[in-house]
Amino acid sequence: MAGNQPDIAPGSPSGSHAAPILSIPGTAALSAFRRERLLVEMQGRVPLLVSVEAIYWHFALADSALTVPESAVLKRLLVYGPKIDDDRAVPKGEVLLVVPRL
């Protein structure tokens, strides 16, 4: 996700005939202050924890693979809020997604 531009990657395995589900990382969900406060609280329960990150993640069901212009429009629509640092843009360590039931 260079330069805060989300990478649009299909979530369905290649060769699948199902409609592609796009998985698109977004911007930071917590301010630096809230992230540090959460880290301290979580380290009280998990002392070996060294960092915590929260980012918005978008999922989109498409009828077919997006064209280059469609991907560009979607990327522009999903760039909002405070820019996430490039070194935090790609999750490291264990990733836990919390999503609502649909």
Side-chain angles (χ1 to χ4, degrees):
M1 192 168 79
N4 204 33
Q5 292 296 313
D7 293 325
I8 299 177
S12 58
S14 61
S16 172
H17 296 296
I21 297 176
L22 305 176
S23 174
I24 309 158
T27 59
L30 298 175
S31 67
F33 172 78
R34 291 188 68 204
R35 200 173 59 249
E36 285 299 317
R37 193 173 71 184
L38 180 61
L39 177 60
V40 168
E41 180 182 333
M42 292 177 72
Q43 284 174 327
R45 296 182 177 120
V46 184
L48 296 177
L49 188 65
V50 295
S51 69
V52 64
E53 186 62 56
I55 62 172
Y56 291 106
W57 209 281
H58 308 280
F59 298 95
L61 178 62
D63 292 333
S64 60
L66 296 182
T67 64
V68 172
E70 290 170 334
S71 292
V73 168
L74 188 55
K75 284 181 180 183
R76 281 195 312 272
L77 288 171
L78 295 177
V79 174
Y80 56 87
K83 182 180 184 228
I84 191 167
D85 298 332
D86 287 338
D87 63 331
R88 292 182 9 236
V90 177
K92 297 171 186 72
E94 187 173 345
V95 176
L96 174 66
L97 292 178
V98 180
V99 297
R101 292 188 316 187
L102 300 176

